[in-house]
Amino acid sequence: MVYSANVSERRRQPPELAISTVIFALRGDGETSGPTLWLPLVRRTRQPYQELWALPGGPLSAAESLQDAAARNLQETTGLQPDYLEQLYAFGGLDRSPAQRVVSIVYWALVKPDEAALAQETDNVRWFRADGVGQLAFDHNQIVDYALWRLRNKVAYSSIAYAFLGEKFTLAQVREVYEAVLGKTLDPANFRRQLRTAPDIEATDEYLQGGRHRPPRLFRYTGSTGPKNGPLA
């Protein structure tokens, strides 16, 4: 049973501030040929919404900055310390919580493959495909949908895709990022041609080894993928 505060009681209580974080990473699922977008969720162990999955987060303490609180929540729940951590949006609907009103400052984090491989998983912390999270607690489905919308829009005009990649990568790996984020297949030849003329893409003298065919050249991104803590977007 979900506890619901009396309406007059709710109006007298000041809003509580909280931090939530949407963490995106590229992972294989064994079903598709390339990586797909995943995010970790936390199982709620108490009411309201006990047993439902939710985004990592918690109350904002008086002694923390917003960014520090988001980073701490990430570290405590998943063990992750991603380079890309940016403020996404503020969610403050009157009925977000059935008890006291809660205003959540939401951050999003983009995780590189080697970081995602080290993420902690327990009975109460699990990774889900971003397009298959099911029913989440509070308004967290709305938050995930908004984060996906922002990511898909931003990848079209910014360098945010490289936040998912390591220091060196192949052009095919860049294309896999775009395909995973956009949810569609891109023409390899056209994509490779566009990347070769893009600024801040630098070829190295190294090649990816271990494949059956001619090893592809490794590239590096020399620009900036964005601030670690940006403004509300």
Side-chain angles (χ1 to χ4, degrees):
M1 181 177 68
V2 177
Y3 170 75
S4 181
N6 179 278
V7 174
S8 61
E9 291 177 348
R10 290 178 52 147
R11 288 176 177 171
R12 288 196 298 268
Q13 294 174 337
E16 178 181 342
L17 287 177
I19 297 289
S20 293
T21 309
V22 185
I23 309 160
F24 288 127
L26 295 185
R27 292 160 59 113
D29 60 6
E31 298 178 2
T32 56
S33 58
T36 53
L37 271 179
W38 290 66
L39 72 164
L41 298 173
V42 179
R43 192 199 310 268
R44 288 190 56 80
T45 58
R46 62 180 185 275
Q47 295 290 1
Y49 302 108
Q50 186 173 359
E51 296 300 319
L52 285 186
W53 294 92
L55 294 168
L60 175 66
S61 74
E64 287 181 301
S65 69
L66 297 178
Q67 167 121 358
D68 287 346
R72 175 182 55 78
N73 283 323
L74 278 172
Q75 174 66 32
E76 291 178 351
T77 55
T78 65
L80 292 170
Q81 295 179 296
D83 290 332
Y84 192 103
L85 180 61
E86 183 181 13
Q87 197 175 123
L88 175 67
Y89 203 69
F91 289 79
L94 296 176
D95 300 317
R96 296 188 67 242
S97 173
Q100 182 179 3
R101 183 186 179 191
V102 179
V103 175
S104 286
I105 309 299
V106 180
Y107 277 73
W108 62 347
L110 307 183
V111 181
K112 299 179 186 297
D114 55 342
E115 295 174 318
L118 299 175
Q120 301 170 359
E121 286 197 77
T122 67
D123 289 342
N124 293 322
V125 179
R126 188 182 304 168
W127 285 79
F128 292 79
R129 276 188 56 153
D131 59 359
V133 296
Q135 179 61 47
L136 303 182
F138 305 104
D139 59 350
H140 290 188
N141 286 96
Q142 178 186 350
I143 294 175
V144 171
D145 288 344
Y146 180 81
L148 283 169
W149 177 81
R150 284 288 298 128
L151 179 60
R152 287 164 180 159
N153 276 271
K154 196 164 185 176
V155 78
Y157 66 81
S158 76
S159 58
I160 197 172
Y162 298 97
F164 286 109
L165 295 167
E167 180 185 357
K168 298 172 186 177
F169 47 81
T170 67
L171 298 184
Q173 289 170 337
V174 182
R175 176 169 51 83
E176 288 180 339
V177 173
Y178 279 85
E179 290 181 338
V181 171
L182 298 174
K184 63 181 181 181
T185 301
L186 302 175
D187 180 74
N190 286 339
F191 188 84
R192 185 168 56 251
R193 192 158 42 246
Q194 291 173 7
L195 273 190
R196 287 186 180 277
T197 61
D200 302 322
I201 301 292
E202 178 181 87
T204 73
D205 295 327
E206 300 177 53
Y207 294 83
L208 182 66
Q209 303 298 326
R212 297 180 180 179
H213 306 289
R214 179 181 176 182
R217 183 184 292 272
L218 291 172
F219 292 74
R220 65 165 60 92
Y221 182 69
T222 59
S224 172
T225 57
K228 296 181 72 173
N229 180 25
L232 285 170

